[in-house]
Amino acid sequence: MKKTVIGIDVSSRTLDLSVIEHKQVHYATIENKVKSIVKFLKAYDDTKTIIAMENTGRYNWYIYEALEQFSFEVYVISPLHLSKSLGLVRGKNDKIDALRICQFVQKNKAELTAWQPTARNIQCLKVLLSERNSRIKTKRQLLARQNDYKLMKTLGLDKELLALNKQQVKALEKQIKKIEHKINDIIESDQKLKNQQQLIKTIPGVGNVLSWTIIGKTEGFSKFTNPRKFACFAGVVPFEYQSGSSIYRKPKLSMFADKELKSILHLAAMSAIRLDNDLRKYYVKKVKEGKNKMSVLNAVRNKIIHRIFAIIKNQTAYKNNLVLS
């Protein structure tokens, strides 16, 4: 039996669907609501159906909720992966996008990993981390703006605007602390996640924020099990650029990375090399050998990832104790 393929172009209010069935293509547009999605999918409940969609963050939530009632083969595709695979294309609309998602999954299904529902506590953790990061970004922008108010002194607005700015910063700080307490409560309420965090934090430089982020990104080490793949995802693995004997460049990091995760890993690496541990010894040794400091620091980030996955796999705490140098 040939499988039916449904491609879904997701937006906040509607879903544009392209259905390839018996070599025929059908289109439909429905509301992005659980009731509407379930009603549409019931027509395919008794068939071998593949469903594919882009990962659009929160706009996918109603689809995920509806899919829990079915046993379809589901693929959630990275928008970047999809756009890079299209090659030279002309024109774009929601109907075409839905069809392209169908065609993408037909061609690349063997290389894709099927979507699995995420545990509720992991979903909550990821949402809270997203909310925390949003507030930290806003706080950073507000703090950067404080120096600009000096320029408004002649207008007599500097003190008033600075006071309002500081009020916003204080409010954000309270919200961030509240979110962090909620994140900690989620971790503490799940023995498996609690154990994972305790193990991760035994590694030099790894604190609460990185441990929360790693658990969220890996979905409790169920989404990623290979440290190299996760290191590639984080953007800390250099790739070669070489063709024949005439084209060669030094290995460089890929631009396609989770920049938020990479930034947190950078802070962890900076912290690790200030402590008395094997990562610091490695860093000092390589720098003395003449290696570029940023290149060595990136290697430290990579080593932190591999250590995290190793201790989770072996369920053994890191042996090198954190001692201030």
Side-chain angles (χ1 to χ4, degrees):
M1 181 187 294
K2 290 188 176 180
K3 293 185 177 181
T4 300
V5 182
I6 301 175
I8 306 175
D9 184 68
V10 184
S11 64
S12 60
R13 295 183 179 180
T14 61
L15 302 177
D16 287 273
L17 302 103
S18 174
V19 183
I20 299 178
E21 189 175 21
H22 306 301
K23 296 184 179 181
Q24 298 293 318
V25 182
H26 310 285
Y27 298 99
T29 301
I30 62 174
E31 287 185 298
N32 191 358
K33 293 182 179 179
V34 176
K35 188 176 179 181
S36 302
I37 299 166
V38 169
K39 183 180 178 181
F40 179 86
L41 293 178
K42 275 185 177 178
Y44 302 93
D45 199 13
D46 296 328
T47 64
K48 288 188 176 181
T49 301
I50 295 173
I51 294 178
M53 72 194 93
E54 278 188 311
N55 184 0
T56 57
R58 299 180 184 188
Y59 296 157
N60 290 62
W61 286 355
Y62 286 145
I63 308 176
Y64 295 155
E65 187 176 340
L67 286 172
E68 290 179 4
Q69 302 181 35
F70 302 94
S71 56
F72 298 129
E73 191 176 350
V74 181
Y75 295 93
V76 180
I77 305 161
S78 162
L80 181 63
H81 190 179
L82 181 62
S83 65
K84 290 295 180 181
S85 71
L86 294 176
L88 186 63
V89 295
R90 293 180 176 86
K92 172 182 168 59
N93 61 45
D94 295 335
K95 186 185 288 187
I96 291 172
D97 287 344
L99 179 59
R100 285 172 176 166
I101 291 169
C102 275
Q103 293 169 340
F104 175 86
V105 80
Q106 284 180 318
K107 291 178 182 177
N108 302 282
K109 179 176 170 293
E111 300 174 7
L112 300 173
T113 302
W115 171 82
Q116 296 293 334
T118 305
R120 187 57 56 90
N121 58 349
I122 295 293
Q123 287 180 347
C124 292
L125 177 63
K126 292 172 81 171
V127 169
L128 289 169
L129 285 170
S130 176
E131 291 294 323
R132 179 185 179 276
N133 291 334
S134 176
R135 282 161 176 77
I136 286 175
K137 185 178 180 180
T138 304
K139 178 187 170 184
R140 194 180 298 124
Q141 291 170 343
L142 287 168
L143 291 172
R145 205 177 297 167
Q146 287 182 359
N147 289 328
D148 297 338
Y149 294 134
K150 295 175 184 178
L151 304 173
M152 303 171 191
K153 195 170 183 179
T154 55
L155 300 174
L157 295 172
D158 55 320
K159 291 182 180 179
E160 185 179 357
L161 291 176
L162 182 60
L164 289 171
N165 181 293
K166 288 181 177 180
Q167 286 176 19
Q168 284 183 290
V169 170
K170 283 184 179 180
L172 284 169
E173 287 174 344
K174 287 181 181 179
Q175 291 177 22
I176 291 167
K177 285 183 179 179
K178 191 172 182 180
I179 290 170
E180 288 176 345
H181 283 306
K182 186 65 179 174
I183 291 171
N184 193 57
D185 289 343
I186 291 171
I187 298 290
E188 290 289 325
S189 65
D190 188 305
Q191 187 57 46
K192 184 179 178 182
L193 299 184
K194 183 180 178 181
N195 181 55
Q196 287 176 349
Q197 187 192 29
Q198 288 174 345
L199 290 173
I200 292 170
K201 287 177 67 176
T202 61
I203 296 173
V206 179
N208 281 330
V209 178
L210 181 57
S211 63
W212 295 337
T213 305
I214 294 284
I215 291 170
K217 298 289 184 183
T218 62
E219 297 185 3
F221 294 88
S222 62
K223 184 177 180 180
F224 287 95
T225 55
N226 185 308
R228 179 167 174 79
K229 286 185 178 180
F230 190 74
C232 290
F233 173 75
V236 300
V237 177
F239 290 90
E240 290 184 357
Y241 191 94
Q242 186 257 333
S243 178
S245 58
S246 59
I247 299 176
Y248 176 78
R249 297 177 192 169
K250 289 182 179 180
K252 290 187 177 181
L253 302 177
S254 172
M255 294 289 289
F256 308 128
D258 188 316
K259 292 180 175 59
E260 171 203 322
L261 173 61
K262 188 176 180 179
S263 176
I264 298 170
L265 277 166
H266 178 76
L267 294 175
M270 290 292 290
S271 177
I273 63 173
R274 294 189 182 102
L275 303 167
D276 184 17
N277 59 80
D278 60 336
L279 292 174
R280 174 178 171 80
K281 290 175 183 176
Y282 169 83
Y283 176 82
V284 171
K285 178 185 175 185
K286 291 298 178 181
V287 170
K288 283 183 178 179
E289 290 174 0
K291 301 289 185 182
N292 180 276
K293 287 184 178 180
M294 284 305 298
S295 177
V296 181
L297 196 61
N298 183 69
V300 173
R301 292 186 292 199
N302 201 346
K303 286 179 178 294
I304 287 173
I305 288 175
H306 279 75
R307 279 159 171 71
I308 287 171
F309 277 77
I311 64 170
I312 293 297
K313 181 181 178 180
N314 299 326
Q315 288 295 294
T316 305
Y318 193 72
K319 293 180 181 178
N320 205 340
N321 294 323
L322 297 178
V323 180
L324 288 173
S325 57

